[in-house]
Amino acid sequence: MRWAVLVTLLGTLLPPTARSAEEHWSFRRPTRPRVPCVSDPALRGWVRTPIDAFLLERLVKEGSRPAPEADRRTLARRLWFDLTGLPPTPEEIGAFLKDSSPDAYERRVERLLASPHYGEQWGRHWLDVVRYAETEGFEYDRPRPGAWRYRDYVIRSLNADKPYHRLVREQLAGDEIDPGDRDCLIAAGFHRLGPVRRNAGNQDVAASRNEVLTERTDALGAIFLGLTVGCARCHDHKFDPIPQQDYYRLQAFLAAAHEHDIPLADAKTVATWKVRADKVQHEIRKLETELARLDGDARKRVQERLKEARRRLPAPLPTISTIRDVEKERTPLHVLKRGDWEKKGDRVGMRLPSMFLPAEAPELPADMRNPRVLLARWITSPDNPLAARVLVNRVWQYHFGKGLVETPNDFGANGEPPSHPELLDWLACEFLASGQRLKSLHRLILLSSTYRQASRSPAEVRLLGRFPRRRLEAEEIRDAMLSVAGRLDREAGGPSVIVPVESDLVKLLYDPDQWAVTKDERQHDRRSVYLLAKRNLRLPFMEAFDRPDLQTSCPRRESSTHALQALELLNGRTSNRLADAFAARLRREAGSDPRRQVERAFLLAVGRPPTEKERSLAVEFLKDHPLREFALAVFNLNAFLYVN
């Protein structure tokens, strides 16, 4: 039944030449455009991949020319940070400079794509998009046991170059695809990533259920379709052809999905744990009920008793945080007036968006099994005009700082049009033809002349006549400081690390005991992707450098410049602790000679020797200041914080 419905639906999708509002460019199926021919012999040799031909055609049309190729030191730093989020070591740069073989660059690209750090860097980008956090947000911000397993699933999957269509299907419907496969169950934890209101134990009431379904539907539309479907929650979409009915029809695919925590322990251990937990939970519920009736000093006393009771809850068992379909608890979906769950209109069932179906296409039967499998297969089908474009645009954005479409979560009429529409469609078609492999897409981009350009040129950045210089992101800065200081712990995976922060910040939490610092101090030096992602407490260092707030999908990080960044780098706990370690490393590796210390510091931190002026100023500085202050100054260099 399921496959028959799928075949019927995909067979009735509207052709690429749709009607009226559906004629918007992103709602038409991409077709492979002709690769432009370069007639100028002087420019023909610049074209290494079809990407270059598309970019060059536009540059020439605008009366511009591409920038020359960047030098190898610049390319090394660019490649390493781009693919692994870590700086190249002086030894790695030296080997790259000495390699005179014609395919030296290509082999470095392959080596970095095969690095386990590739999955950590690009997995972090995906975690931004899917609003990954390990706590539930709102007032209580309770930890979600086993949430870190989703992070590790993403990193493993990207390192293995799992096809994108499989990634999407496992995340949207892993529990339906194979409920016996641990990875599929972990992947379906995608639906659990958003904030959840637990106040007063009301998580089962209709209002809370409506909030959960709303959050999941909005995320699904933005992440996989690049559409602001959430704008159709209260009324027909004002810009895109998404009627309000379609919003709730899409939500209906999720109506039977409910939270499901699977303990990874034997039955006896689970039973013992449950007895202890139930006893304390019963006490907590009584106190919460009592709290609702009190105010003043009496309320404060009960609040203290409530906090003390929560501290007595047994530590969570190892858990897979996922979902499952519970047919008898399927939420009836109605069109809600103004999105108010108490103002129910017509009841609706599952149906794909109207813009892709004939007007007479029926809703799917309410009792259809595995509805999210059907939804995921449609999203990743070549017949869907959005998904491939959205994904290749995200990858392009992380390589070049801006997407071909500058609004990566909005491909609708209110979003920005693509700067190079033919290139976007060519990349989408090529991505589908490659089996939806991300590493193939990376190769196309990284091996192009477009990517290898220098960052200094009069050409306009939007036309990509030069490579856009960028500031490192928060995690990259911290990881680079750890690496340069010789303190980086490269252990991969496992439970998240909680590092020390100012006590004043911890006291602001509803339950300060949630911030239990990891006892093994060596773990504090692990990569930033493995630090606890808590919604109600962002690390000051990360916040200063624009890490997102984890509440909603973050399609593109801002790159701000403000005084607090300088203060954090000069006075912050992280930078000063690592400046001490960096100074100690310089003494070990360069001895007591200031000139050798300066030389080694620059090679480690910025991937090149100091200029004569830099060397002179640094040596003069070291006559009157300790080495750790010089190390701290190096962390503040633009050459350290930016990639050309």
Side-chain angles (χ1 to χ4, degrees), residues 338-387:
R338 296 291 181 184
D340 186 341
W341 69 274
E342 293 183 310
K343 297 178 180 178
K344 296 180 175 63
D346 294 339
R347 185 162 178 177
V348 295
M350 296 175 283
R351 189 175 182 270
L352 299 177
S354 299
M355 71 180 82
F356 304 119
L357 292 174
E360 66 276 9
E363 293 178 347
L364 299 175
D367 60 350
M368 180 180 164
R369 293 186 59 211
N370 299 337
R372 285 176 282 114
V373 171
L374 170 61
L375 179 63
R377 285 184 177 276
W378 170 72
I379 286 175
T380 55
S381 164
D383 293 304
N384 184 331
L386 289 164

Side-chain angles (χ1 to χ4, degrees), residues 238-277:
K238 298 296 185 185
F239 303 100
D240 299 330
I242 308 174
Q244 190 184 14
Q245 268 196 332
D246 274 10
Y247 179 83
Y248 293 99
R249 285 168 169 167
L250 185 61
Q251 194 173 96
F253 284 95
L254 313 176
H258 290 266
E259 296 178 0
H260 184 40
D261 290 334
I262 304 173
L264 299 175
D266 60 73
K268 183 179 179 181
T269 302
V270 172
T272 302
W273 182 90
K274 193 172 185 308
V275 168
R276 292 177 57 204

